[in-house]
Amino acid sequence: MKLVDFMKVDLARDFLLNSKKSLRLRPNTCIFNILVKHHCNNGDLESAFEVVNEMKKSKVSYPSLITYSTLIGGLCESRRLKEAIELFEEMVGKDQILPDALTYNLLINGFCREGKVDRARKIIEFMKNNGCSPNLFNYSALMNGLCKEGSWEEAKQLFVEMKSTGLKPDTIVYTTLMNCLCRASRIDEAMSLLKEMKENKCEADVVTLNVLLGGLCRESRFHEVLQMLEKLPYEGVYLNKASYRIVLNALCQKDEMEKAAKLLGLMLDRGFFPHYATSNEVLIQLCKAGMVDDAVTALFGLAETGFKPEPHCWEFLIEMNCRDRKLLHVFELLDELVIKECTHNLHVGATFA
C-alpha cells in the first residue's frame, strides 16, 4: 500500500474502513497485514491489535498465521512475553491455526533475549511433540541463548542433537559455538570445529576467524596467532583490520613487544593501520622495553600513513633517544615533527584562504 509507504497510515486505515462501508469493497487479510506489520515495526502494538479486531469482523480478512506471527514478534520485541504466549495459545486453541518454524523462532528468540533459555528449550520440545521439526534457525537461536549465559556443555549437546536430525550447521552456528568455547577457555575444541568446518566444506568467515584469534590471544598462544595471520591470506582467507587489531592489542597488554613490532610491520605492509591510541601506546611501550630503534622504525612506517603522534609520545621518543645518545634519530624525529607541522599549517591555511 503506497499510503503506508508514505507514512499516511491514518489515511490508509480510513480508506480501508470506508471502502467496506461506502464502496462495498472487502479488503482481504493480506492488505490488513500491511497495516499490522507497520504498527508492530513502529512499536505501536495497541494500534496493531485494533486492526486485528477489525479483521476478525469478516471471513475475507480474518487473521492468518502471518498476522499472528507479526503480532507475536512485536510483543517479543517489546518484551511482553506473557502476552506473546497468550496470543500463541489463542491462535492454536481458538482459531485452530498451526504455527510454523518461523512463529516458534520468534518465541525462542524472545525468551533467549530475556535470559529465559529454559523456556526457549521448552518451545523446541513443544515443536517436536506437535509435529513441527525444528530447523537450523530454531537450533541456532537456542544455541545463541545458551552461549550467552555460558552454558557451553548444553550448547555442545544441542549442536550434536541438531546434527543427528540431519541438519548441517552453517557458519553462524559454528561461530556461535566457537565463541562460547573460547570464552570458556576451551580453545582446542573451538579449533577442532574449524577443522570440521573445512571437512564439511562450510566456509569460515572473518567473524569466525576473529573469534578464534581472540580466544588464542586470551590464552597467550601468540605463536599460533601470528602463524594464522601470516598464512591465512595466502590460503584465500580474507582478514580485516579488526583481525590485526585484536592481536596487536593483546600483544601490548601482555608486553610481548618484539612480536608486536613484527605484527605492526606486517599490518603496514598489508595496508592495515592500528587505532590512533594503540599506535601511540605501541611506540611508548617499545621504548620502555628498550626497543628504541624499533620504535623509531615503527614511527616512520606509521608516519607514511599520515599518523601524527600525540605530544607526550613525541616527547617520550625524543627523550629515550637522547638518553641512548642516538642523536641521528633525534634529528630525524625533529625533522619529521617540523614537516608534519608545516604540512598541517599549509592545509589549514588553504582551507581558510
Side-chain angles (χ1 to χ4, degrees):
M1 293 175 69
K2 289 296 182 184
L3 289 173
V4 175
D5 291 341
F6 289 108
M7 303 301 289
K8 302 291 185 181
V9 181
D10 292 336
L11 185 59
R13 286 186 62 181
D14 291 343
F15 174 76
L16 289 177
L17 295 175
N18 289 330
S19 66
K20 291 173 65 178
K21 295 177 182 178
S22 305
L23 304 177
R24 294 184 181 181
L25 297 175
R26 295 193 297 175
N28 61 20
T29 303
C30 292
I31 293 174
F32 276 110
N33 279 346
I34 295 171
L35 275 177
V36 175
K37 183 178 180 181
H38 172 83
H39 288 309
C40 287
N41 286 345
N42 285 278
D44 187 2
L45 294 173
E46 282 62 39
S47 294
F49 276 104
E50 287 177 12
V51 174
V52 171
N53 290 334
E54 188 66 33
M55 293 173 73
K56 290 180 178 179
K57 295 177 181 178
S58 170
K59 289 184 179 180
V60 176
S61 61
Y62 203 83
S64 65
L65 175 60
I66 294 174
T67 315
Y68 277 109
S69 294
T70 303
L71 282 171
I72 289 169
L75 289 167
C76 289
E77 285 290 332
S78 298
R79 305 171 74 173
R80 294 161 62 173
L81 297 177
K82 182 181 178 182
E83 293 171 73
I85 287 293
E86 290 172 352
L87 185 62
F88 177 84
E89 291 172 348
E90 177 187 322
M91 176 186 76
V92 176
K94 183 180 177 181
D95 289 336
Q96 300 293 299
I97 296 175
L98 293 177
D100 61 9
L102 174 61
T103 312
Y104 283 114
N105 212 48
L106 294 168
L107 293 171
I108 294 167
N109 270 317
F111 282 116
C112 286
R113 274 197 302 270
E114 294 301 304
K116 299 178 180 180
V117 183
D118 288 342
R119 295 290 302 274
R121 180 75 192 202
K122 288 177 181 177
I123 297 291
I124 291 275
E125 295 304 318
F126 183 87
M127 287 181 71
K128 293 190 285 188
N129 294 335
N130 287 274
C132 184
S133 298
N135 63 21
L136 189 63
F137 298 104
N138 302 137
Y139 279 112
S140 180
L142 180 56
M143 184 177 293
N144 191 47
L146 289 168
C147 291
K148 281 184 177 178
E149 65 173 23
S151 301
W152 60 269
E153 288 185 343
E154 291 182 59
K156 280 179 62 179
Q157 291 170 5
L158 185 68
F159 183 72
V160 172
E161 176 189 319
M162 179 185 67
K163 291 195 293 183
S164 70
T165 67
L167 293 171
K168 293 184 177 181
D170 62 5
T171 304
I172 294 174
V173 171
Y174 273 114
T175 303
T176 301
L177 184 54
M178 284 178 184
N179 189 43
C180 186
L181 292 169
C182 287
R183 295 289 175 183
S185 298
R186 306 187 74 84
I187 187 66
D188 288 328
E189 292 180 53
M191 293 297 288
S192 69
L193 286 176
L194 180 63
K195 182 180 179 182
E196 182 181 311
M197 288 182 74
K198 292 178 181 177
E199 291 171 353
N200 293 335
K201 297 182 179 179
C202 180
E203 189 173 345
D205 61 17
V206 69
V207 178
T208 313
L209 296 169
N210 287 351
V211 163
L212 292 173
L213 290 171
L216 287 166
C217 285
R218 283 189 291 274
E219 298 294 312
S220 297
R221 292 165 62 168
F222 295 119
H223 179 70
E224 294 168 73
V225 172
L226 293 172
Q227 276 191 329
M228 286 178 67
L229 290 179
E230 182 70 43
K231 71 177 184 179
L232 284 174
Y234 295 104
E235 296 175 359
V237 178
Y238 173 76
L239 296 173
N240 61 12
K241 61 184 177 183
S243 312
Y244 295 93
R245 289 176 173 180
I246 288 168
V247 181
L248 184 62
N249 289 336
L251 289 170
C252 290
Q253 289 168 8
K254 300 285 185 177
D255 291 323
E256 294 279 358
M257 298 316 299
E258 288 188 13
K259 293 182 175 66
K262 179 182 177 183
L263 176 59
L264 180 58
L266 181 66
M267 288 179 67
L268 295 175
D269 287 343
R270 292 179 175 176
F272 294 104
F273 315 127
H275 284 295
Y276 180 72
T278 304
S279 298
N280 284 282
E281 186 63 26
V282 169
L283 295 174
I284 290 173
Q285 284 194 230
L286 285 171
C287 289
K288 287 181 177 179
M291 301 170 61
V292 178
D293 289 343
D294 294 276
V296 172
T297 301
L299 172 60
F300 286 120
L302 288 165
E304 291 180 5
T305 71
F307 170 76
K308 178 185 174 182
E310 293 177 349
H312 78 276
C313 185
W314 273 117
E315 292 170 7
F316 191 74
L317 282 167
I318 292 172
E319 179 187 340
M320 293 301 293
N321 276 279
C322 287
R323 189 179 298 175
D324 290 351
R325 298 185 179 182
K326 296 181 178 178
L327 298 181
L328 179 60
H329 282 172
V330 172
F331 292 131
E332 289 174 342
L333 288 169
L334 289 171
D335 286 343
E336 184 67 25
L337 175 59
V338 171
I339 292 169
K340 287 282 181 187
E341 283 299 318
C342 289
T343 303
H344 174 73
N345 292 335
L346 285 172
H347 176 72
V348 172
T351 302
F352 291 98

